[in-house]
Amino acid sequence: MKIVTTAEMREIDRITTEKYGIPSLTLMENAGAAVAEFVLEQYPKAEEIGVICGKGNNGGDGFVAARKLYDSGKNVLVLLLADPKELKGDAAVMFERLPVAAVCARNIKELEQESAMLVANANVLVDAIFGTGFRPPLTPFHTKACELINGTRPVVSVDIPSGIDADETDMKKIRKTIWAFSNGVVTFTAPKPAHVFLNLTPHPVVVAQIGSPRNAIQSKLKLEVITKNDLHTLWVPRPWDAHKGLFGHVLVMGGSTGKAGAAAMAAIAAMRVGAGLTTAATPKSVLPTVAGFAPELMTVPLPENEAGAIAISSQESAIKKVLVGKTVVAIGPGISRAPEAEQSVHAIVTHAKVPVVIDADGLNAFEGKANLLNGKQRPLILTPHPKEMARLTGLSVDEIESNRVEIARKFAAEHRLILVLKGHRTLVADPEGTVWVNMTGNPAMAKGGSGDVLTGMVAGFIAQSPDHLFNAVLAAVYIHGLSGDLAARSLGERSVLAEDILQQIPHAIQASDQLTNRPVSLTLGRARKRQ
């Protein structure tokens, strides 16, 4: 799903009408219907619904929503923040089709009158004042309207919360401004940058398709949102005569004294997502601990130094032996920063002929040596958090966080690899310069071990679908976040452990293996029906 700018969205609408012959009135009718459907699904018991409309096309969408809600049996109240004579084009047409008389407010004094306040105090409000064409700041009149919206009742915004610049990506810039706080947002055709990178709502941002053909949706941003529809190539039914050899063999190399659990969790995650075989190669002194986590897990003891860290770099024959028959290698979880361990990481990455997933101290082994990372030799998938990314690039964490998209894009392109930059809105950058944004996940996952689980999931999906390697990475990132969402829903954000994320993987996969033609939710897994 492409992310588009507001200018690109205007062009998409124009092309939809002029080239593909879909009337703009039809687009507006479909948009309003999608908003009404969302309101009815999320608030089925709300009897009185207020719709606050501006004079532009966003208001026109609101008029349609009001009509659809009225037709469904709801008591609908409409407030127009303009004189009806100011309405033009499609918005004027839809205003004439309203089945109820609208209250009109043209200034702050009229906005404070009882008739306007009755609309603002409805059970649920639909915010249809400004859409993606809005540019700050709000006028005092519209600021007052947004303040009325920001009460205790649920609010659904049409296209985007009024007062927000749809092209904005910096949350700091809007924290001190007034805007219509929303419980849900219904946008159309494609998400805009603000929908993806700003925390506009605690509940879903829904993207409804209203008629624009797929070929009309073009963007120069080279930004995509990961949705479950991107995972369809992986959900192929297993043949009845399937055997473990069909689903790949994952090698997880990691662990050290005091960090055995990291390698174990990565290995278990690979098994949980469906890898046929999984082997954990770990220092021989910690092998019993790693093996004790799961009876299904195969293990290989590796030479170690006195501190219990892997030391295999000088034994080329042992390296080749451990790599034989493996479909994918995951290296780094719990491996430590001992010099011998770092040398071992370099040796494995050099000798491997299969995809290699590098995480944790496996990444730190390339601090100041990122020139050694080249995905042309064999596919490389890096999964750094911001501090690890800072070590790889020589930049500060603040620099990484302030320009995540472009730094990820540049690094992936320069090193010809896939980069998974973890954090709020985890990014997946491909070697061609496109960046995919993940919308699943939550603060509950800010716990030690979460990244180890992701590493194993990436390797496990690649093992099963090496011919769809990039989709496998997208799947791992998406389902990892969704597993965290399910765990947080069950346990709360404070109490989730990495092991809880592991336990939710099967449920997240089942939820994702159900493709529908319904509107796509950008925060799938968090939305709950409210009364």
Side-chain angles (χ1 to χ4, degrees), residues 251-254 279-288 290-291 298-304 309-312 315 318-319 321-322:
L251 173 66
V252 175
M253 183 171 289
T279 296
T282 193
K284 57 185 178 182
S285 64
V286 302
L287 186 147
V290 174
M298 297 184 293
T299 55
V300 173
L302 295 179
E304 59 187 312
I310 292 173
I312 196 176
Q315 301 182 36
I319 292 173
K321 183 178 180 180
V322 79

Side-chain angles (χ1 to χ4, degrees), residues 197 226 358-359 363 381-393 395-397 399-412 417-430 435-438 440 454 458 473 477:
F197 294 105
I226 306 172
I358 311 176
D359 185 37
L363 294 167
I381 303 92
L382 276 55
T383 61
H385 56 54
K387 195 167 185 178
E388 291 161 347
M389 191 65 189
R391 295 188 186 113
L392 288 173
T393 59
L395 301 172
S396 68
V397 172
E399 288 173 316
I400 297 293
E401 291 289 69
S402 65
N403 196 19
R404 287 169 55 85
V405 170
E406 293 310 316
I407 289 172
R409 191 196 306 273
K410 180 180 178 183
F411 193 93
L417 51 75
I418 298 171
L419 182 77
V420 179
L421 181 55
K422 295 181 289 195
H424 175 63
R425 300 291 184 259
T426 290
L427 306 176
V428 184
D430 70 23
V435 178
W436 298 67
V437 187
N438 186 50
T440 61
L454 175 61
V458 172
V473 176
V477 171

Side-chain angles (χ1 to χ4, degrees), residues 265-300:
M265 284 189 292
I268 294 170
M271 292 191 289
R272 275 292 185 194
V273 300
L277 293 166
T278 303
T279 296
T282 193
K284 57 185 178 182
S285 64
V286 302
L287 186 147
T289 304
V290 174
F293 279 93
E296 301 90 346
L297 180 60
M298 297 184 293
T299 55
V300 173

Side-chain angles (χ1 to χ4, degrees), residues 144-328:
K144 179 64 176 179
C146 287
E147 289 174 344
L148 285 179
I149 288 174
N150 295 338
T152 58
R153 72 205 63 76
V155 177
V156 174
S157 287
V158 177
D159 215 3
I160 196 164
S162 293
I164 294 292
D165 181 344
D167 288 333
E168 183 59 71
T169 61
D170 188 350
M171 195 70 193
K172 295 177 183 178
K173 292 183 180 180
I174 70 168
R175 281 177 179 158
K176 296 182 179 180
T177 63
I178 297 294
W179 48 283
F181 300 136
S182 298
N183 298 87
V185 177
V186 182
T187 193
F188 314 112
T189 306
K192 291 74 186 175
H195 294 127
V196 176
F197 294 105
L198 302 184
N199 295 322
L200 299 179
T201 168
H203 298 297
V205 175
V206 169
V207 182
Q209 298 306 313
I210 59 173
S212 293
R214 188 179 183 87
N215 290 341
I217 305 172
Q218 301 296 328
S219 175
K220 295 180 180 179
L221 290 179
K222 297 189 77 172
L223 280 171
E224 303 263 356
V225 173
I226 306 172
T227 74
K228 68 179 183 180
N229 297 329
D230 298 308
L231 317 182
H232 70 277
T233 55
L234 306 180
W235 304 147
V236 179
R238 295 189 168 190
W240 289 108
D241 59 349
H243 56 84
K244 60 192 175 186
L246 292 178
F247 307 116
H249 192 162
V250 175
L251 173 66
V252 175
M253 183 171 289
S256 59
T257 298
K259 297 180 179 178
M265 284 189 292
I268 294 170
M271 292 191 289
R272 275 292 185 194
V273 300
L277 293 166
T278 303
T279 296
T282 193
K284 57 185 178 182
S285 64
V286 302
L287 186 147
T289 304
V290 174
F293 279 93
E296 301 90 346
L297 180 60
M298 297 184 293
T299 55
V300 173
L302 295 179
E304 59 187 312
N305 66 7
E306 294 180 355
I310 292 173
I312 196 176
S313 61
S314 62
Q315 301 182 36
E316 186 171 335
S317 61
I319 292 173
K320 291 181 177 179
K321 183 178 180 180
V322 79
L323 290 173
V324 169
K326 306 306 187 295
T327 314
V328 58

Side-chain angles (χ1 to χ4, degrees), residues 16 52 67 86 112-113 138 152 157 183 199 223 248 270 277 329 348 358 381 392 427 453 467 482 521:
T16 297
I52 302 181
R67 171 162 44 86
E86 299 179 69
E112 293 174 339
Q113 291 180 351
L138 288 168
T152 58
S157 287
N183 298 87
N199 295 322
L223 280 171
L277 293 166
V329 178
I348 292 294
I358 311 176
I381 303 92
L392 288 173
L427 306 176
V453 173
D467 294 334
L482 182 53
S521 171

Side-chain angles (χ1 to χ4, degrees), residues 37 202 385 490 528:
E37 181 182 3
H385 56 54
S490 174
R528 297 181 184 177

